[in-house]
Amino acid sequence: MKIFLDSADIGEVEKWYQTGLIDGVTTNPSLIAKSGRDILQTIKEICAIVKGSVSAEVTALDCATMLKEADRFLSLADNVTIKVPLTPDGLLACKTLSDKDVSVNVTLCFSAAQALLAAKAGAEYISPFVGRLDDIGYDGLTLIGEIVEIFENYDFATNVLAASVRNPLHVVECAKIGADVATLPPKTLEMLYQHPLTDKGLKSFMDDWQKTGQSIL
Ligand code: E4P
């Protein structure tokens, strides 16, 4: 499973990309707002840091303007993926762009039926939101499983990109189910490293090592 960073913070992108663990980046209008920076400049800078896919989300609601915004993003770098909302206009923009071999990420997916439409529209990625479904009392991970099963049935080329991933359990379950990508905010990535037995075991090894009085170097 690929791991994308869900952030528009250049410092976080630099920090996490240099770990070698990050395959791409996703952004959205809220993350751009949180960064307080210009969207085009930010996307350009992220694309220069990261070799893989960088999702830049359109903010128009109609297809024609979405396509104009997509052109602006596409002029910035070769690794831009155009992110469109799962609306009739968004899917029309997806179809238009994917017909020209442009990489498209269809976002704000909350049902398997929506994911099926995105695949038919030629999306490279479909982004079902796990955490936001959990928030309203549905099981976001069940949705990931349904979409993976449907795409396998028909051999769709669309990648399942699990979004709104909040904790390590989400990540592990997405990997077990067979999601192609999970996009994680820095906070969730930090959590993946953590285990109390790792900390306890390391402390015990270090304490014992000190007692030997040895040095490897
Ligand atoms: C992904 O592309 C979305 O931008 C993101 O994962 C949404 O996550 P949130 O529900 O934590 O805002």
Side-chain angles (χ1 to χ4, degrees):
M1 183 174 74
K2 287 186 177 175
I3 295 180
F4 287 2
L5 181 70
D6 197 27
S7 175
D9 181 318
I10 296 293
E12 294 286 0
V13 172
E14 278 172 339
K15 171 186 158 183
W16 285 102
Y17 192 63
Q18 62 89 26
T19 65
L21 301 173
I22 302 303
D23 303 292
V25 171
T26 52
T27 67
N28 64 38
S30 300
L31 292 170
I32 294 288
K34 193 174 160 196
S35 78
R37 300 191 62 229
D38 175 76
I39 185 168
L40 296 176
Q41 186 59 30
T42 302
I43 296 297
K44 192 173 176 177
E45 287 176 26
I46 296 173
C47 287
I49 297 165
V50 174
K51 281 210 181 86
S53 161
V54 175
S55 284
E57 186 162 343
V58 298
T59 56
L61 297 178
D62 67 285
C63 177
T65 316
M66 283 180 194
L67 293 175
K68 284 183 192 157
E69 291 180 347
D71 281 343
R72 294 294 294 273
F73 287 139
L74 291 168
S75 72
L76 300 174
D78 292 338
N79 53 335
V80 173
T81 290
I82 304 300
K83 204 172 176 189
V84 299
L86 210 154
T87 61
D89 277 72
L91 290 185
L92 205 52
C94 175
K95 175 76 181 137
T96 307
L97 292 165
S98 62
D99 280 350
K100 293 181 194 162
D101 286 330
V102 172
S103 169
V104 182
N105 176 359
V106 178
T107 189
L108 291 169
C109 171
F110 294 95
S111 78
Q114 290 180 318
L116 183 58
L117 293 183
K120 297 287 290 180
E124 181 166 3
Y125 302 100
I126 179 69
S127 291
F129 280 40
V130 177
R132 291 195 197 185
L133 273 173
D134 289 358
D135 289 346
I136 61 160
Y138 287 83
D139 183 1
L141 291 168
T142 296
L143 174 61
I144 301 294
E146 285 175 353
I147 299 171
V148 167
E149 182 183 346
I150 290 168
F151 285 8
E152 277 174 5
N153 284 346
Y154 297 100
D155 219 9
F156 282 123
T158 303
N159 294 285
V160 180
L161 191 168
S164 191
V165 172
R166 305 262 174 84
N167 57 55
L169 186 63
H170 280 161
V171 178
V172 171
E173 289 301 319
C174 283
K176 282 163 68 179
I177 291 164
D180 301 286
V181 189
T183 188
L184 314 184
K187 192 178 153 201
T188 307
L189 267 167
E190 290 284 358
M191 284 191 260
L192 294 187
Y193 286 89
Q194 305 303 324
H195 199 286
L197 290 180
T198 303
D199 298 340
K200 189 179 170 196
L202 187 60
K203 182 174 182 327
S204 150
F205 286 158
M206 291 304 100
D207 288 349
D208 290 342
W209 178 243
Q210 287 292 89
K211 288 177 207 158
T212 70
Q214 297 181 46
S215 164
I216 296 169
L217 298 179

